[in-house]
Amino acid sequence: MADVTEHAQACAIEVPPHARPPWRERHALPVYLQQHYAWAYLNARNARLFDTRGFLQLLLFGHYRRLGQAAVNALCETPERRLLQLGCAYGDLSPRLARHPVVARLDVVDAAQLQLDLLRRKLRYDDPLVCHRQDATRLSFPDASFDGVLLFFLLHELPGGARRRALAEALRVCRPGGRVVVIDYHRPHAWHPLRWLLPALFGWLEPFALSFWGKPLGDLLPQSSTARVLAEHYWFGRLYRQVTLTP
């Protein structure tokens, strides 16, 4: 009971029950988030629409459940794991990951209070999940704090510099021998029916995606990094990729 009470208190402190209106928190938000993604992550009405399994299945062409399960499988191979997720993901991925039998605790970071509040409403009182309002490019956690780190469709939304810093931070806070799992877009095969449609869509809604989807993840690592790629998987004509790295 003490553990449950401690968890509830941590959530109550770090994620107030009522989100402040977006205009009040703009000073604390990354500029790219305010300029390019306010409609998707800072608008409460839109967020409620997007935060449904049906919408996400449509958005990811029927692959939301498969990609989410791939993330859970990659991170939950050994017991008593403390995990970190960078960025709240719409849908039920975070609660599913937190409720996996081998997960001791899941910490979730997001810069937008609205997103943290949406996640908090999905939680049971005993879910081992703690929310933190932080920028993924400047984490407050000490080095090697986590057994695994998840970036689920985050990197394609970041400008180049922020993308490199977020990945570097993920590797910094992951313990040696742990796993950093990235699931995101990838440039599909030339014959893919969406190969020529998606650039126009990205240009309208995802201004940084095209600079990411054709780039090997290793190119985002500093030359001094000792991180290495453990595995790569692709789905749907290579439109989606999973890359697992270890520090």
Side-chain angles (χ1 to χ4, degrees):
M1 180 62 71
D3 291 342
V4 171
T5 303
E6 180 181 353
H7 165 69
Q9 290 174 342
C11 282
I13 292 171
E14 302 209 60
V15 186
H18 301 291
R20 292 181 294 173
W23 63 267
R24 278 185 163 179
E25 63 178 5
R26 284 183 183 275
H27 70 281
L29 293 171
V31 173
Y32 71 85
L33 181 59
Q34 299 179 52
Q35 291 183 344
H36 300 290
Y37 298 111
W39 61 274
Y41 298 117
L42 305 180
N43 182 296
R45 183 176 59 181
N46 289 347
R48 285 192 295 269
L49 170 64
F50 301 153
D51 197 21
T52 62
R53 186 185 302 176
F55 178 85
L56 294 169
Q57 280 289 90
L58 179 65
L59 181 66
L60 295 177
F61 304 101
H63 284 71
Y64 171 70
R65 291 293 296 180
R66 177 180 295 180
L67 295 169
Q69 191 58 51
V72 173
N73 293 343
L75 288 164
C76 297
E77 292 189 346
T78 58
E80 296 300 316
R81 299 182 68 79
R82 183 178 178 188
L83 305 179
L84 173 66
Q85 180 180 326
L86 298 187
C88 289
Y90 282 139
D92 63 351
L93 173 59
S94 299
R96 275 199 294 145
L97 185 57
R99 292 166 191 162
H100 194 283
V102 307
V103 173
R105 170 167 159 166
L106 172 64
D107 291 73
V108 180
V109 163
D110 203 286
Q113 186 66 51
L114 173 62
Q115 295 299 311
L116 293 168
D117 284 347
L118 286 173
L119 172 57
R120 185 171 180 265
R121 294 187 186 111
K122 303 171 195 174
L123 300 179
R124 303 169 185 164
Y125 77 95
D126 58 347
D127 283 338
L129 189 153
V130 178
C131 299
H132 309 266
R133 188 179 172 194
Q134 294 185 30
D135 187 331
T137 66
R138 298 191 302 272
L139 299 175
S140 66
F141 305 111
D143 295 356
S145 297
F146 298 94
D147 298 300
V149 183
L150 174 63
L151 297 87
F152 190 80
F153 285 93
L154 172 67
L155 291 182
H156 79 277
E157 295 187 334
L158 305 182
R163 186 181 299 150
R164 291 177 180 275
R165 290 193 297 274
L167 185 58
E169 282 290 270
L171 290 165
R172 178 185 68 79
V173 300
C174 187
R175 66 167 176 79
R179 293 186 173 189
V180 173
V181 177
V182 176
I183 295 183
D184 217 308
Y185 290 107
H186 184 269
R187 179 184 286 132
H189 287 301
W191 49 259
H192 199 290
L194 298 173
R195 172 70 179 256
W196 311 112
L197 173 64
L198 282 177
L201 186 63
F202 285 157
W204 181 35
L205 298 175
E206 302 274 11
F208 310 111
L210 289 180
S211 65
F212 172 75
W213 79 334
K215 184 184 291 293
L217 208 61
D219 289 358
L220 299 177
L221 301 174
Q223 292 185 350
S224 59
S225 174
T226 59
R228 58 189 179 89
V229 175
L230 292 178
E232 295 184 54
H233 301 283
Y234 299 88
W235 294 272
F236 196 32
R238 296 178 71 89
L239 178 59
Y240 305 118
R241 61 175 155 176
Q242 173 191 331
V243 182
T244 303
L245 306 101
T246 189

